[in-house]
Amino acid sequence: MPPQGLRFRVGASSSREEFLRIGKVCADDLLAAYRDLGRSAESDRRWLDFGSGCGRVARHLVTRGSIVEYTGADVDKEQTAWAARHLPACFVTIPTTPPTALAESAFDVIFSISVFTHLDEAGQFAWLAELRRLLRPGGLLIATTHSPRIAHDARGVAPGELAELDRRGFLFRRSVGPFNEQAAFHSDGYLRAEWGRFLRPVAHLPFALGQFQDISCWEKSGASP
């Protein structure tokens, strides 16, 4: 179990029970979304956990037989160092802005939980370009985002900001609370229009991650193996 300080960095509390519960929920919901796509697990054996932290989700996935090569990547060196010492997978520290040192077309599946929920437009576009580079042709990105409904229900979001969100389908805020700092909100229409410039949209699943975050799935153009 990661120490209290590392657990707190990836969640709203340092509770051991919450750390394990949320990690399992995320892993289960991620795999459910993946299975619903009907892809061949034999062709999707190399997975990248983008924003892996100290392995809250990884600990529930690294023992899955269909995932042969599991790589976790995060900007937090202390988190990746702990995961590398205690979990049977490869964990690497990446820079806060792309590119990374990871090889082009190195992964069949990349997933990202609670990363794009905290990036502004420039940051998300830069990382989408990098993740596209890291995916093989036909590879899959699974990412979570906040629905606009979350912003409408959150405290402190000004009426003008909500109007902008309704108009554009996207809103970035420096802070909406003590934990969700730098929160971003995406509509399905915005994702298709803007993220669709990088990858082909495959599915959008509202509130599919823990009944809180949306899950969207994207493919890199090109023939799969």
Side-chain angles (χ1 to χ4, degrees), residues 198-212:
F198 298 88
L199 298 160
R200 183 177 71 85
V202 176
H204 184 263
L205 309 171
F207 300 102
L209 188 91
Q211 299 181 324
F212 183 67

Side-chain angles (χ1 to χ4, degrees), residues 29-78:
D29 289 348
L30 173 76
L31 290 178
Y34 172 77
R35 285 194 298 267
D36 286 348
L37 298 177
R39 290 174 62 95
S40 168
E42 288 299 312
S43 298
D44 291 336
R45 300 166 73 82
R46 303 170 301 166
W47 287 52
L48 173 65
D49 179 350
F50 175 64
S52 56
C54 55
R56 181 172 64 169
V57 177
R59 68 192 300 125
H60 301 281
L61 293 178
V62 292
T63 57
R64 307 281 176 141
S66 60
I67 304 176
V68 176
E69 297 179 24
Y70 191 105
T71 302
D74 201 281
V75 300
D76 189 325
K77 184 176 182 179
E78 190 177 357

Side-chain angles (χ1 to χ4, degrees), residues 115-120 172-176 179-184:
V115 175
F116 288 98
T117 51
H118 301 291
L119 295 179
D120 62 16
F172 174 76
R173 297 194 81 243
R174 290 295 168 187
S175 178
V176 293
F179 175 66
N180 280 325
E181 295 184 354
Q182 299 196 149

Side-chain angles (χ1 to χ4, degrees), residues 148 169 186-193 201 203-204 214 216 218:
H186 303 73
S187 71
D188 182 22
Y190 173 90
L191 290 171
R192 289 179 178 273
H204 184 263
D214 295 349
S216 58
W218 309 82

Side-chain angles (χ1 to χ4, degrees), residues 137-160:
L140 178 72
L141 169 66
I142 306 174
T144 71
T145 53
H146 283 145
S147 163
R149 246 175 65 188
I150 301 297
H152 279 272
D153 293 340
R155 286 190 237 172
V157 183

